[in-house]
Amino acid sequence: MFSKTKIHTLSSFCLNARSISSLKVMWRKDPALDRAIEFDKRYKQCARVVKELLNEPGQVIPLRYLEKRRERMRLKVKVETFLNQNPGLFDVYYDRIKPKTQPVRFLRVGDRLRQFLEEEKRIFRENEPLLVSKLCKLLMMSKNKVVSADKLLHVKREFGFPNDFLVDLVTKYPQYFRLTGLPGEGKSFLELVSWNPEFAKSVIEQRAEEESMRMGIRVRPSFNVELPPGFVLKKEMREWIRDWMELDYVSPYEDVSHLDQASREMEKRSVGVFHELLSLSLHKRIPVPILGKFCDEYRFSNAFSSTFTRHSGIFYLSLKGGIETAVLREAYKGDKLIDWDPLLQIKAKFVEMLEEGWRQRAEQLSLKQDRIKEDMELLAVKVGE
């Protein structure tokens, strides 16, 4: 974990026979991008609690069982308080855990949440081609066109895949995917069956093609680099970045088995892979520990996180919430995400549902306070008489 003043020593890369281990880039806080991460805190908390219930058999759970899982859900308030703060998510009813036992309170999906879940299914259906292309791209960038199914399950939220994508989506497209083993046991893998050249174009390459068509001249694929305000690089680092930017772009979909891990070209390719992975993600940001799970599949070095500070004009490494998160700078304007993934409609619908419940609760509290005020005024009048 980096402190807010920590300086990253750039090592493990020997470029053009010159090591850059002596070059240093100071980490600099970006308050706007940190705010973008902070905005999602309440939404994510509610999503974790909903997920816990939906994963239960029959999608019901005794309230007291859910209370015991507060630490796992990182829920700081009691479940009953959470329910009061977020009305409309769940219905509370009484049932027996075992025959002949006393009835206890259970939770089940509420009407408002049920409507959202139907909307979620519709959005997934409408964006199925996008989901297929994302999954193909993740496999096409990998070393052997094979990725652990369990790792993919772990990152499904980052890329917007539905819970059942390995069962539903994968089996519908045998021309693209082959699943071996049983997911959840650590020995299951998803393999690419056929290569679709339409999917083998990165965001960088697509952007260059569009600019070439618009301008009528060939535009080289290149990264957008914009250092944050007040960020200054030392002379030797500026020179290295300038020379590095002049290198030809290496597509994340190219075969790079012939490249040396410490070469400048491999550095270019690694940045391209990170750029593409972040571009495919819903929020154009991914926690570094999650990226670290794919070091073998995507040929990341053990010190891969230094890439995000070495290329601070392309990425931002946030420390918000005690978790290192790699953020794609070009996807944001201030703290607002401008590169909107169609699957983010699901989050928008979920937030809309939550806000409706929050407004309802605020109105009920306001009415309650008004009634208390009226009762106090009536009491004052009676006392005065």
Side-chain angles (χ1 to χ4, degrees):
M1 182 60 60
F2 304 135
S3 69
K4 294 184 179 180
T5 58
K6 181 164 182 181
I7 295 177
H8 292 259
T9 301
L10 308 179
S11 58
S12 76
F13 285 91
C14 298
L15 311 177
N16 268 358
R18 187 187 82 168
S19 171
I20 61 167
S21 60
S22 60
L23 300 179
K24 296 179 181 179
V25 176
M26 181 175 288
W27 178 86
R28 188 181 183 89
K29 182 182 177 68
D30 190 320
L33 292 178
D34 282 342
R35 283 197 303 273
I37 295 174
E38 186 71 17
F39 286 155
D40 284 341
K41 185 181 291 185
R42 192 173 182 183
Y43 149 76
K44 285 184 175 180
Q45 177 64 85
C46 292
R48 282 195 293 269
V49 179
V50 169
K51 177 185 175 183
E52 196 70 30
L53 181 134
L54 294 181
N55 285 339
E56 286 295 304
Q59 297 185 339
V60 298
I61 187 172
L63 189 151
R64 70 188 190 196
Y65 285 9
L66 196 62
E67 179 68 28
K68 291 178 180 179
R69 302 178 190 178
R70 275 175 53 197
E71 184 175 350
R72 185 171 76 186
M73 297 185 295
R74 303 195 293 279
L75 184 62
K76 295 182 180 179
V77 299
K78 291 185 176 181
V79 170
E80 194 156 351
T81 302
F82 173 85
L83 296 178
N84 291 332
Q85 293 174 344
N86 299 278
L89 284 178
F90 308 124
D91 287 340
V92 180
Y93 68 101
Y94 282 85
D95 200 355
R96 290 179 171 84
I97 297 176
K98 295 180 179 179
K100 299 182 181 181
T101 60
Q102 288 296 317
V104 298
R105 284 183 296 174
F106 274 72
L107 300 180
R108 63 188 171 200
V109 174
D111 289 340
R112 194 176 293 157
L113 178 56
R114 187 175 292 106
Q115 291 174 7
F116 160 75
L117 293 173
E118 289 302 315
E119 278 286 286
E120 182 182 49
K121 290 178 183 177
R122 178 188 63 79
I123 294 170
F124 277 135
R125 284 195 302 270
E126 290 179 354
N127 289 279
E128 191 165 288
L130 173 62
L131 290 166
V132 171
S133 70
K134 280 191 180 191
L135 196 51
C136 282
K137 284 172 174 285
L138 291 178
L139 296 174
M140 291 165 73
M141 282 188 285
S142 67
K143 184 168 57 179
N144 297 313
K145 313 302 176 280
V146 177
V147 175
S148 163
D150 294 301
K151 291 181 182 181
L152 289 172
L153 282 173
H154 191 74
V155 300
K156 62 186 177 185
R157 297 295 178 189
E158 306 299 326
F159 295 100
F161 297 130
N163 289 331
D164 58 356
F165 77 99
L166 286 178
V167 176
D168 187 18
L169 189 69
V170 165
T171 55
K172 285 175 67 175
Y173 294 90
Q175 69 271 36
Y176 287 133
F177 310 117
R178 181 185 297 117
L179 182 64
T180 59
L182 187 64
E185 295 185 355
K187 294 182 179 180
S188 179
F189 299 90
L190 189 64
E191 179 184 354
L192 185 74
V193 173
S194 61
W195 183 276
N196 187 335
E198 292 183 8
F199 298 154
K201 288 183 181 178
S202 67
V203 169
I204 296 289
E205 291 169 308
Q206 290 172 350
R207 187 165 62 204
E209 284 187 4
E210 291 167 3
E211 290 180 3
S212 296
M213 291 179 64
R214 187 175 65 252
M215 299 174 64
I217 58 173
R218 181 179 177 275
V219 176
R220 289 178 60 194
S222 61
F223 299 102
N224 287 338
V225 178
E226 185 176 350
L227 289 171
F231 194 98
V232 179
L233 290 173
K234 291 184 177 181
K235 181 182 177 182
E236 58 267 34
M237 195 64 200
R238 289 199 308 270
E239 292 174 351
W240 180 82
I241 289 289
R242 180 198 62 204
D243 294 342
W244 183 85
M245 289 294 292
E246 287 299 314
L247 292 173
D248 288 337
Y249 173 78
V250 180
S251 172
Y253 301 102
E254 285 185 32
D255 179 10
V256 293
S257 57
H258 61 287
L259 292 181
D260 187 289
Q261 186 69 30
S263 67
R264 294 192 303 167
E265 290 77 15
M266 196 62 179
E267 168 89 347
K268 196 91 174 187
R269 190 261 180 183
S270 295
V271 172
V273 172
F274 288 130
H275 187 284
E276 189 75 352
L277 288 173
L278 294 176
S279 297
L280 291 172
S281 69
L282 283 182
H283 295 94
K284 316 308 174 192
R285 62 177 190 255
I286 300 176
V288 170
I290 288 180
L291 289 171
K293 293 178 180 294
F294 296 89
C295 282
D296 183 54
E297 286 87 346
Y298 296 121
R299 289 188 167 95
F300 299 153
S301 71
N302 292 332
F304 75 92
S305 63
S306 64
T307 305
F308 304 121
T309 49
R310 184 159 53 251
H311 299 278
S312 297
I314 302 172
F315 308 113
Y316 171 58
L317 189 65
S318 174
L319 310 181
K320 198 67 181 176
I323 299 175
E324 296 172 8
T325 301
V327 184
L328 188 61
R329 283 195 183 277
E330 66 186 40
Y332 287 83
K333 184 175 183 180
D335 55 13
K336 304 299 181 186
L337 182 65
I338 56 175
D339 192 355
W340 193 259
D341 190 296
L343 289 164
L344 278 175
Q345 293 178 70
I346 293 172
K347 175 190 171 182
K349 292 288 184 182
F350 189 75
V351 171
E352 182 181 313
M353 175 193 66
L354 292 176
E355 289 179 341
E356 184 180 346
W358 298 339
R359 283 194 300 271
Q360 178 185 339
R361 180 172 181 267
E363 290 170 1
Q364 291 173 347
L365 289 174
S366 180
L367 288 172
K368 184 178 180 180
Q369 289 172 352
D370 288 344
R371 285 197 296 269
I372 292 173
K373 184 178 179 181
E374 289 173 2
D375 291 344
M376 293 295 290
E377 289 173 351
L378 285 174
L379 182 61
V381 170
K382 288 181 180 181
V383 170
E385 293 175 353

